[in-house]
Amino acid sequence: AYDIPAAISGTGTRSCTIQDSKFIHLGGYAVALEKGSQDDRIVGNEMTDLGAGGVKIGDPKIPTDKQSESGTNQITDNHIHNIGIVYPAAVGVWIGQSGNNVVSHNEINDTYYTAISVGWTWGYGPTAARDNLIEFNNLHNIGRGMLSDMGCIYTLGVQPGTVERNNVCRDVSRYKYGGWGIYTDEGSSNILVEDNVVYRCEDGCFHQNYGEANVLQNNVFALGDTAQIRRSRRSTAATCEPR
């Protein structure tokens, strides 16, 4: 549900701040900063009882010029909860073809789908999602048995420089399959996953669905119902280096 409109939306929005606000009882997303939005801050807000999700950054299509690029935005210290009431497949924080964003110190809970989603290229094709930092987020009660194939942190495509660290992810449940904690999906590559604590995920705490050159170090994966670490599909280029 990435294409659902938001209550506040910006195109080409530069150096703006949305801070200490409440987004409550809305039919779609709370905030969307789209094509060409850079150096913006979404800080200290509460977003709840939403028809869709919390925050969207960037676009599903790769920018064709510098003016259209979105990036270097900060989404920090927000509480996003009880979302997806109308569109269950909505995401707490969605980052599309956008780089150099920071998503940190947020609490995201009671969703029907993924808490944080980064990247929008399936496989090893071109992407503008790189160097995104996902850290110190508290993610819990994700999925709630409604939908399949999702997780606390979900990535797509090659993402050099992207880091997922010091996040807590717990209590992920799904409908039929795919209740994951940290989920590096199709082609997710060149991602550093470190110092995370992930537990009580129905299908596994970490899941790789083909990708290469990902590094996992110093994580705690525990109490997964069927697995702690799982790879569901192999590709000829796929390598993953656990430490």
Side-chain angles (χ1 to χ4, degrees), residues 42 55 57 73-78 93 95 102-104 106:
I42 303 173
V55 178
I57 300 292
N73 301 292
Q74 297 182 31
I75 303 97
T76 64
D77 300 286
N78 302 284
V93 175
I95 296 176
V102 175
V103 182
S104 70
N106 302 285

Side-chain angles (χ1 to χ4, degrees), residues 8 13-21 23 31 33 37-45 47 72-76 78:
I8 293 180
T13 309
R14 306 288 175 97
S15 302
C16 293
T17 298
I18 300 172
Q19 186 169 2
D20 298 333
S21 301
F23 297 84
V31 178
L33 300 179
S37 295
Q38 300 177 12
D39 301 312
D40 299 308
R41 299 168 65 247
I42 303 173
V43 183
N45 305 284
M47 304 176 182
T72 61
N73 301 292
Q74 297 182 31
I75 303 97
T76 64
N78 302 284

Side-chain angles (χ1 to χ4, degrees), residues 2 8 14 34 36-37 49 57 63 67 117 148 165 172 186:
Y2 69 92
I8 293 180
R14 306 288 175 97
E34 300 169 322
S37 295
D49 192 20
I57 300 292
Q67 286 296 106
S117 179
S148 299
R165 68 185 180 200
V172 180
E186 302 194 23

Side-chain angles (χ1 to χ4, degrees), residues 170-187:
R170 63 177 173 85
D171 298 306
V172 180
S173 61
R174 43 60 172 172
Y175 174 50
K176 287 187 176 180
Y177 71 95
W180 313 108
I182 294 175
Y183 184 1
T184 46
D185 201 7
E186 302 194 23

Side-chain angles (χ1 to χ4, degrees), residues 119-143:
W120 209 241
T121 296
W122 279 256
Y124 300 118
T127 179
R130 58 176 61 229
D131 298 303
N132 289 298
L133 177 58
I134 314 299
E135 66 174 1
F136 294 103
N137 298 286
N138 181 11
L139 314 171
H140 56 98
N141 294 339
I142 305 303

Side-chain angles (χ1 to χ4, degrees), residues 178-231:
W180 313 108
I182 294 175
Y183 184 1
T184 46
D185 201 7
E186 302 194 23
S188 292
S189 301
N190 305 110
I191 297 171
L192 173 61
V193 179
E194 65 178 1
D195 301 325
N196 301 284
V197 176
V198 185
Y199 61 102
R200 291 202 299 260
C201 300
E202 193 160 2
D203 288 304
C205 297
F206 174 80
H207 175 215
Q208 176 77 59
N209 181 21
Y210 84 86
E212 62 178 8
N214 295 313
V215 174
L216 280 66
Q217 60 187 17
N218 200 41
N219 300 282
V220 175
F221 299 141
L223 305 177
D225 285 3
T226 61
Q228 312 312 326
I229 298 174
R230 177 173 288 177
R231 184 195 69 187

